[in-house]
Amino acid sequence: MKSFNRVLSLTKRNLKEILRDPLSLTFLFALPLIMLVLFYFVFSGLTSQFEIKYFAPGIVAFGGTFISLFMGLLIATDRSSAFLTRLYTTPIRSYEFILGYSLAMLPIGLMQTCLFFLVSVLLDSSILSWNLLLVILASLLITILFIGFGIFFGSICNEKSVGGLCSILVMGQSILSGMWFPQEGLSEGFIKFMEVLPFKNCVLILQNIMLGSASVLNSILIILAYTIVVYIISINIYSLKMKQK
């Protein structure tokens, strides 16, 4: 019970901090949404890559990288203040610290996903089906992964450098997911390289569920593996810093 109360208190505090930054929240929601609408109207008639049933899941996965940036900045800011120093002197455990940040950001990620799909339905109502609800549920796995990346980068970087590292995720999701371009012209070796990274698998999970395909297990296992690893590393980093303090 004490552990639950500590996590709940930290979650409430972090959620308040998130909501106190409306400019960053606007950026988190608006930029991917603008890209969704703009690219759909410009390119959807030219290539199937930008049909809403393919492109909307891609944008949801792409939006996760902005969650990483937001999360990383929040933790880096807390590290530069006296908040974490005081937190290190409390009985809070490493996993409670990670849970407190993750649970605060999870509803924001869910709201982002729902907004993207709401606009997608307005653009093309053909995607409105029970599969869409399953996609939204599956997107929570993607959100948790990118929250984990944000916690990791925020734990090792200061406010000035966390944006640069998180931009690697933005570029990776753009270039290595296949969401912006057809993959027919790529070499087999490069496609295999993309398949072992999380970026393409994030998109595949959502696209395949949207299309009613059952070929998602391998991608889910890969995402779960990355998620587990990044959270284990983040918990250990917090433990190390707590011992140092």
Side-chain angles (χ1 to χ4, degrees):
M1 182 59 69
K2 290 183 179 180
S3 178
F4 174 79
N5 289 334
R6 287 194 293 264
V7 172
L8 184 61
S9 297
L10 184 57
T11 300
K12 290 179 179 178
R13 178 266 172 191
N14 291 333
L15 189 56
K16 290 179 181 178
E17 289 298 314
I18 291 170
L19 297 177
R20 283 175 184 168
D21 191 0
L23 183 61
S24 295
L25 277 175
T26 301
F27 176 79
L28 177 69
F29 286 92
L31 184 57
L33 189 59
I34 291 171
M35 296 175 72
L36 169 65
V37 176
L38 180 62
F39 280 84
Y40 172 76
F41 279 117
V42 174
F43 297 112
S44 62
L46 302 177
T47 172
S48 62
Q49 196 79 18
F50 293 94
E51 292 179 14
I52 207 70
K53 61 185 177 182
Y54 300 112
F55 192 49
I59 283 291
V60 169
F62 181 68
T65 61
F66 292 88
I67 291 175
S68 292
L69 176 59
F70 194 102
M71 189 83 266
L73 287 172
L74 175 62
I75 292 185
T77 301
D78 285 344
R79 286 178 56 230
S80 65
S81 69
F83 173 70
L84 282 193
T85 302
R86 294 196 302 269
L87 201 63
Y88 289 144
T89 63
T90 67
I92 192 168
R93 298 185 177 95
S94 302
Y95 73 88
E96 295 169 348
F97 167 81
I98 301 301
L99 275 177
Y101 279 93
S102 299
L103 293 176
M105 198 65 197
L106 193 59
I108 304 298
L110 182 60
M111 288 172 58
Q112 185 196 58
T113 297
C114 291
L115 176 62
F116 292 168
F117 279 126
L118 174 61
V119 174
S120 298
V121 169
L122 294 176
L123 294 174
D124 185 350
S125 60
S126 66
I127 66 168
L128 190 58
S129 67
W130 290 112
N131 287 342
L132 185 57
L133 293 177
L134 296 177
V135 174
I136 292 173
L137 288 175
S139 72
L140 292 175
L141 176 60
I142 312 302
T143 300
I144 292 170
L145 170 66
F146 283 113
I147 289 173
F149 276 124
I151 293 173
F152 170 67
F153 289 139
S155 298
I156 63 174
C157 301
N158 57 35
E159 295 174 72
K160 296 180 180 179
S161 58
V162 70
L165 270 182
C166 286
S167 66
I168 296 175
L169 294 178
V170 178
M171 294 299 295
Q173 193 63 43
S174 299
I175 298 172
L176 299 174
S177 67
M179 62 175 289
W180 301 107
F181 54 85
Q183 302 170 45
E184 288 76 9
L186 299 177
S187 68
E188 183 177 346
F190 190 74
I191 291 177
K192 291 292 184 183
F193 174 68
M194 292 169 61
E195 288 175 350
V196 299
L197 295 176
F199 310 112
K200 180 179 174 62
N201 288 287
C202 287
V203 176
L204 283 178
I205 290 171
L206 303 182
Q207 284 182 342
N208 286 341
I209 294 176
M210 177 76 79
L211 299 173
S213 172
S215 303
V216 295
L217 180 58
N218 187 59
S219 293
I220 288 175
L221 291 176
I222 291 173
I223 295 303
L224 283 175
Y226 276 100
T227 302
I228 291 170
V229 169
V230 76
Y231 271 89
I232 288 175
I233 293 174
S234 299
I235 289 171
N236 286 327
I237 288 174
Y238 177 82
S239 296
L240 179 62
K241 291 182 180 295
M242 187 167 57
K243 291 176 182 178
Q244 290 174 345
K245 293 292 182 179

